[in-house]
Amino acid sequence: METFQNLPAHVSIIMDGNGRWAQRHSLPRFKGHYEGVESVRAIVECSCTMGIRYLSLFAFSEENWNRPQDEVSRLMELFAQCMKGELDNFLKNGVRFVVLGNREKFSASLNSTIDEMMDKTAAGNKLTLVVFLSYSGKWDILQAARKLAVEHPDGNFGPDDFASALVTDGIPDPDLLIRTSGEMRISNYMLWQLSYTEIVVVDTLWPDFRKSNFLDALAEYEKRDRRFGKVK
């Protein structure tokens, strides 16, 4: 295992390219999502081994509800299947599992599975795995603004108060954002939290993203000079 002197505490990944991977292999789109699960397993395992404290994955955006119904239905089934299948591994490896997003459109069964997973893994203290489902950065900012308008009707609140009203309260902002498939955008993801995050874009499609690609991104992060607007 490669040794790093400057390991990010929180790595976030926009997992992009499942559909294109399936197309390149002459397979239905949902097959790309199933193959992408293997990449998730590989990166979670690597994160645990390396001592990364937080790993967050953008799995399903609010905009993704507009995809073909068959694909959405298969994704919902896949989410439930993966959560149930990974519970023992999470417990064994000290993984705390968290889902963040607007869960109103999820079925009662899926919401129950999510709650059960979060309850059973709450004591995990090695890695916090945050999966963003039905999430958008604009939605997060709007729900925080509504909350603060009630709590502070005089408008007397600051950036820390706003950060605390976001669904990511208690989770540090990402140090590193990795986006697969070569797309140069953040796709309405953690718009507040990514303000000073280092971004690494790789051409690899998510189903092909494995440990070596992850280590390459960490090595690129280690080269970065993070100034946070200051002069060094």
Side-chain angles (χ1 to χ4, degrees), residues 120-139:
K120 288 185 174 179
T121 63
N125 58 8
K126 191 167 187 179
L127 171 72
T128 295
L129 173 61
V130 183
V131 178
F132 286 87
L133 295 178
S134 190
Y135 175 87
S136 86
K138 290 181 179 179
W139 165 82

Side-chain angles (χ1 to χ4, degrees), residues 26-50:
S26 301
L27 296 168
R29 281 181 59 87
F30 74 87
K31 290 290 186 180
H33 298 304
Y34 278 80
E35 187 65 25
V37 172
E38 296 303 318
S39 298
V40 172
R41 289 195 182 106
I43 303 313
V44 169
E45 180 181 342
C46 187
S47 296
C48 287
T49 301
M50 298 191 68

Side-chain angles (χ1 to χ4, degrees), residues 197-208:
T197 299
E198 297 296 322
I199 300 175
V200 173
V201 176
V202 299
D203 291 330
T204 307
L205 301 178
W206 177 247
D208 291 325

